[in-house]
Amino acid sequence: MTVSRLRSRLGASVFEHVAGSEGPERRERIHSTTGPRWFDEERPIRRVHADASMFVGGLRALLLQSLHPLAMAGVNAHSGYRGDPWGRLQRTSYFLAVTTFGTADDAEQTVRRIRAVHEHVAGTAPDGRGYAATDPRLLRWVHIAEIDSFLRAHQRYGERPLDAPGRDGYVADTAHVARELGVIDPPETEAELDEQIRQYRPELAGTPEARSTARFLLLEPPLPLAARAPYAGLAAAAVALLPRWARLPLRLPYLPVTEATLVRLSGRTVTAGIRWAMTAPSRQEHPSRREQPAEG
């Protein structure tokens, strides 16, 4: 097998897992449909969400989000992530793709569907407190944990890290999507993002459900044997991006020397490999339509 064929096959395999069987059709619609978009081609959100660093950021986001007991209770009861982890990934991938790259009409329709689903997600957490996916405070936690993770992963493993204005621009871009989903007062700058994360810390805890989720994500991924080693590199990179205060509740290690050397090298190697596979030569003539992580 030639290198180019191997590259194409690897890229297609990754894309199928991330985007599902409908991925090619959805990608065509997202990038070929004419009409205004929420974000033009030069906006920071497009740079971040098109990069392979999203694989690291996505894992970190799930770990960080799990620290809110009410958010974790909702995920445990309603998301089906253990029974259908790839389906959840594909739905998330499509949401990110259509809101970042798709037409405004398609983005708005997708957001309306998600908000309708949220209306039916409610229950009682193990500690007796009620939760609802429409709770603006929970919505904001999920949002800030996600964009903090995507941004930090991009700054460490992205092909073109953002400068300070670009980082503020990314946070501002994502605030537009957050408001459409019902988030109240999302951060508009990197400093505001850091401050809002800090404000949530008293509410966070390492529940048994959160630790079980961490074990599933890091040690029990539903992957073939050949994919376990690259995934381990991504998982280690995601953990290394978590602050120390987030690791202790999840019983995750803190190994600063190893993380600064072997883990960082492994993360860069794996993300570079994904980037190489998903930008096959046959697609490089059309950069806006590459098989990128956020495309569904």
Side-chain angles (χ1 to χ4, degrees):
M1 182 183 297
T2 65
V3 172
S4 61
R5 287 187 62 191
L6 173 63
R7 185 178 185 180
S8 295
R9 287 186 61 178
L10 287 173
S13 177
V14 173
F15 183 68
E16 182 178 359
H17 278 87
V18 172
S21 60
E22 297 180 352
E25 179 181 341
R26 286 176 165 177
R27 180 182 58 208
E28 185 67 22
R29 175 180 174 83
I30 286 170
H31 294 289
S32 297
T33 303
T34 59
R37 264 75 176 161
W38 280 353
F39 309 105
D40 64 41
E41 293 184 3
E42 301 305 316
R43 293 303 305 167
I45 192 172
R46 285 188 168 229
R47 185 192 301 190
V48 174
H49 290 179
D51 193 85
S53 60
M54 289 285 284
F55 285 88
V56 176
L59 275 172
R60 182 191 187 268
L62 293 173
L63 294 168
L64 188 58
Q65 288 167 346
S66 76
L67 287 173
H68 199 296
L70 299 184
M72 186 65 249
V75 168
N76 230 22
H78 298 275
S79 76
Y81 74 95
R82 288 183 182 271
D84 185 24
W86 291 114
R88 187 182 185 217
L89 172 63
Q90 289 155 13
R91 290 189 293 273
T92 301
S93 170
Y94 177 68
F95 168 76
L96 289 169
V98 75
T99 54
T100 303
F101 305 102
T103 65
D105 285 346
D106 283 349
E108 289 161 6
Q109 289 176 17
T110 300
V111 166
R112 283 197 296 271
R113 286 196 295 269
I114 291 173
R115 295 191 69 159
V117 170
H118 283 176
E119 293 289 339
H120 303 284
V121 176
T124 303
D127 62 10
R129 289 182 293 168
Y131 65 82
T134 54
D135 180 347
R137 188 158 182 84
L138 284 184
L139 283 171
R140 189 169 67 170
W141 166 249
V142 171
H143 169 69
I144 63 176
E146 182 176 85
I147 65 167
D148 183 71
S149 297
F150 291 159
L151 184 56
R152 290 181 183 275
H154 187 80
Q155 292 307 105
R156 181 163 297 180
Y157 297 111
E159 187 174 30
R160 295 186 298 143
L162 299 166
D163 58 13
R167 296 193 298 273
D168 284 345
Y170 174 71
V171 178
D173 287 347
T174 61
H176 175 82
V177 183
R179 288 192 189 91
E180 294 290 330
L181 282 170
V183 176
I184 297 173
D185 192 28
E188 293 274 0
T189 66
E190 187 178 23
E192 290 178 5
L193 172 60
D194 292 343
E195 174 60 19
Q196 289 194 15
I197 293 281
R198 187 192 66 77
Q199 290 174 2
Y200 272 87
R201 286 184 58 181
E203 301 176 34
L204 308 181
T207 62
E209 294 77 17
R211 291 192 289 270
S212 176
T213 296
R215 286 195 300 273
F216 177 77
L217 291 172
L218 301 176
L219 302 177
E220 305 166 8
L223 291 169
L225 188 62
R228 291 295 181 96
Y231 184 86
L234 293 175
V239 171
L241 283 176
L242 286 170
R244 289 188 68 180
W245 58 260
R247 299 193 208 187
L248 183 61
L250 294 174
R251 298 178 183 171
L252 298 175
Y254 176 65
L255 305 168
V257 175
T258 302
E259 291 171 9
T261 54
L262 295 178
V263 172
R264 190 168 299 194
L265 176 61
S266 174
R268 286 175 176 167
T269 300
V270 176
T271 51
I274 294 172
R275 190 178 295 117
W276 173 80
M278 297 187 74
T279 54
S282 61
R283 302 190 66 81
Q284 286 182 344
E285 293 180 1
H286 305 284
S288 66
R289 297 175 63 187
R290 292 177 184 172
E291 295 173 345
Q292 297 161 328
E295 297 189 19

